[in-house]
Amino acid sequence: MAKQLIVNLFEMATPGHITHGLWRQPDNQRERYADISYWTELAQVAEAAGFDAIFLADVVGAYDVYDDSFEPALERGLQIPNIDPLLLVAAMAAVTEHVGFGVTFSTTYEPPFAFARRMATLDHLTRGRVGWNIVTSYLPNAARNFGLDDQIPHDTRYEIAAEYIDVLYKLWEGSWDDDAVVADKEVGTYSRVGAVRAIDHVGTHFRVKGPHLSEPSRQRVPLLFQASASKAGIAFAAQHAEVLFTADRPPGALERNIAAIRDESVRRGRLPEDTRYVVMATVIVAPTEEEARAKYEGYRTFRDPEGAFIHMSVPFHPLQHPADITVREALEREGRQDVIDAGGLPLHLTVGQFAGAVDEAWDSRFLAVGSPEQVADTIERWLDVDGIDGINLRQYHSFDTARDFGELVVPELRRRGRMRVAYTPGETLRERIFGEGPRLPERHPAARYRGGANL
Ligand SMILES: Cc1cc2nc3c(=O)[nH]c(=O)nc-3n(C[C@H](O)[C@H](O)[C@H](O)COP(=O)(O)O)c2cc1C
């Protein structure tokens, strides 16, 4: 059978997520991001379109490296203001039955016990339609918001994440047996003594007694998403994650990146089919190619090129220099010897090349503009030649991007057997993606705590 596409709508509860400047389009709805009706409407649009899930990004700090200030981001609505995505899921779940939700939460700043309960709550309220995007947070400002002078070193963040998720597995999988809740009114027993236990976790970063406060939800562990690029991140993903965002960086490296994570996951006792690979993609579609191109060009007139530099935490001002000087010269002109010494920037490139590469990184390889047939051809190539399993669809316009995809692309993909014809009633998000069961398979590290074993 032909591989079917996983489609998530990429969102964030903020005016400007990743399509910088586009919130300014007159009929774009982005400024309604703090209104509950935005989210209920969006969820219904996504479900009508047949999306697998709405995926919510999140940051817990402001972008303040560019210009050494949060003001450029603030002025542009670039991920600030933002609101808490976890709280939106309950509202969206109440007006939908099928669409799933992937929510970002960081393992770095808040200890795991409260999060275990919050996520279990969402898994209950959605009846098993929730996923968690595991991040360790990359913004220096986030560290300063949570009592630190600066960021915890990158690899240490992943060490903390490893213990964090272990605590969660103990709470979600090990603390309550399946038959713990009997709710027997006659006898007066709500939960059976002996079927619920403390976890008594004592580790390097966390001490958690337990028991977990929530009774088991359908998935117990939400579907685990992760986007990693580094060695430490990939090791973590290979061990734990189920749906991975994989970047094509450096360009052309996508297949290698997928193979590296998959091989590593198999070395850790998982099966090749236990991980799925999703990329961020742009699809601009209209009944004809000409109309689609016009629509794309229309969107691009609102583009704010500086947004990418702010978002990428570029520590100088590429647009303020002649395009033909090198990045090193530009840094020297801005007196940023510290940045030169720190390394990490391609100093030999011209400013023009550098700016072009940053700009291109936003639309690069997974861009499809055209008629429904053309877009479906491109998506089939992504699935069969590039080897991806799905996309996180970037929104150029809310809600037109989701509606266009649902009305024009989904029917074409369904005709070609590349998308499910309908949702399966009552399935969890994990079952939708993997087909097996609502819980993680026995070979996943979370399973070792089942029944209170190995606590
Ligand atoms: C598609 C995609 C979405 C991401 N969403 C978030 C997010 O919402 N919040 C966040 O803090 N980091 C997010 N990240 C960053 C990743 O969590 C990760 O830090 C990054 O890919 C670098 O990998 P590393 O942590 O292994 O160095 C995202 C990355 C990608 C590619």
Side-chain angles (χ1 to χ4, degrees):
M1 194 175 92
K3 202 198 282 183
Q4 294 195 332
L5 185 77
I6 299 168
V7 194
N8 303 315
L9 186 64
F10 208 8
E11 251 295 355
M12 182 168 177
T14 185
H17 173 205
I18 36 170
T19 45
H20 308 122
L22 268 64
W23 65 272
R24 296 176 299 161
Q25 297 168 80
D27 58 345
N28 207 342
Q29 302 288 307
R30 301 300 316 176
E31 72 275 17
R32 287 176 55 208
Y33 79 95
D35 186 322
I36 197 166
S37 71
Y38 175 90
W39 297 101
T40 51
E41 206 177 323
L42 178 87
Q44 286 166 327
V45 167
E47 185 157 288
F51 282 87
D52 290 294
I54 296 170
F55 186 94
L56 292 149
D58 191 36
V59 291
V60 286
Y63 289 79
D64 65 358
V65 172
Y66 184 81
D67 226 12
D68 213 6
S69 163
F70 66 78
E71 289 174 355
L74 182 81
E75 208 177 1
R76 290 170 171 76
L78 197 161
Q79 303 195 3
I80 178 173
N82 71 46
I83 55 174
D84 187 332
L86 282 160
L87 301 178
L88 307 172
V89 172
M92 292 193 281
V95 296
T96 53
E97 275 180 52
H98 307 289
V99 72
F101 308 98
V103 204
T104 299
F105 191 83
S106 173
T107 54
T108 301
Y109 300 116
E110 294 181 60
F113 186 77
F115 177 66
R117 186 170 67 138
R118 255 183 256 153
M119 244 326 166
T121 306
L122 290 182
D123 203 46
H124 280 299
L125 298 184
T126 61
R127 287 188 226 91
R129 291 188 277 151
V130 77
W132 170 32
N133 178 33
I134 309 163
V135 301
T136 68
S137 296
Y138 52 76
L139 287 176
N141 176 249
R144 298 186 186 110
N145 293 333
F146 289 91
L148 305 174
D149 291 330
D150 205 346
Q151 278 195 306
I152 298 171
H154 176 280
D155 288 8
T156 311
R157 295 205 302 275
Y158 277 103
E159 276 170 41
I160 296 170
E163 188 181 332
Y164 191 103
I165 202 164
D166 199 42
V167 173
L168 293 176
Y169 293 157
K170 289 179 181 180
L171 292 166
W172 285 332
E173 290 280 1
S175 189
W176 290 62
D177 290 344
D178 286 340
D179 56 359
V181 174
V182 289
D184 187 330
K185 290 185 175 169
E186 296 279 310
V187 179
T189 299
Y190 197 86
S191 305
R192 283 195 313 110
V193 170
V196 180
R197 57 196 70 83
I199 63 162
D200 286 315
H201 176 88
V202 180
T204 312
H205 305 284
F206 307 108
R207 290 183 62 177
V208 180
K209 176 81 183 157
H212 181 39
L213 296 178
S214 303
E215 65 181 84
S217 61
R218 288 192 66 198
Q219 300 184 110
R220 285 199 183 228
V221 181
L223 184 70
L224 300 173
F225 290 88
Q226 201 191 332
S228 285
S230 64
K231 198 156 173 261
I234 287 171
F236 184 95
Q239 182 89 37
H240 301 284
E242 300 176 271
V243 182
L244 293 117
F245 296 113
T246 320
D248 188 30
R249 290 216 194 101
L254 180 84
E255 293 82 351
R256 222 174 39 241
N257 292 345
I258 292 177
I261 302 175
R262 190 162 260 151
D263 289 352
E264 183 61 28
S265 74
V266 170
R267 265 196 294 281
R268 289 163 188 261
R270 302 176 70 198
L271 297 178
E273 59 270 28
D274 287 348
T275 47
R276 295 279 196 274
Y277 298 84
V278 166
V279 293
M280 182 167 79
T282 301
V283 176
I284 308 294
V285 64
T288 66
E289 178 180 359
E290 204 181 7
E291 288 166 278
R293 297 234 158 261
K295 195 187 277 189
Y296 183 53
E297 288 315 317
Y299 289 150
R300 282 175 71 85
T301 56
F302 288 93
R303 259 169 77 251
D304 170 12
E306 215 165 355
F309 303 126
I310 299 165
H311 194 160
M312 302 281 274
S313 293
V314 170
F316 72 105
H317 304 84
L319 299 179
Q320 294 175 12
H321 297 281
D324 58 352
I325 68 167
T326 63
V327 169
R328 176 187 287 278
E329 284 171 87
L331 285 164
E332 281 166 357
R333 288 184 190 186
E334 292 195 23
R336 296 306 302 267
Q337 190 59 41
D338 58 324
V339 174
I340 295 173
D341 294 343
L345 278 182
L347 300 173
H348 59 283
L349 291 188
T350 65
V351 167
Q353 288 167 330
F354 175 76
V358 170
D359 195 33
E360 205 175 287
W362 295 97
D363 261 340
S364 62
R365 182 161 163 189
F366 294 96
L367 168 68
V369 182
S371 68
E373 295 74 23
Q374 290 171 318
V375 164
D377 287 347
T378 305
I379 291 176
E380 288 200 280
R381 242 190 345 268
W382 293 346
L383 289 167
D384 295 339
V385 180
D386 297 309
I388 63 156
D389 299 302
I391 58 172
N392 254 21
L393 184 66
R394 295 172 66 194
Q395 294 185 78
Y396 272 54
H397 185 287
S398 302
F399 307 106
D400 282 0
T401 302
R403 283 207 183 102
D404 288 350
F405 194 89
E407 286 167 16
L408 298 171
V409 184
V410 172
E412 185 60 30
L413 289 175
R414 284 182 170 157
R415 249 194 302 283
R416 299 178 185 204
R418 295 301 194 155
M419 266 184 87
R420 261 173 299 95
V421 176
Y423 292 111
T424 303
E427 72 186 350
T428 60
L429 185 55
R430 178 167 290 112
E431 288 167 297
R432 178 167 310 148
I433 305 298
F434 290 99
E436 260 185 66
R439 306 262 174 89
L440 278 160
E442 280 300 319
R443 54 194 175 269
H444 189 279
R448 64 191 295 264
Y449 299 119
R450 286 184 183 151
N454 302 306
L455 286 176

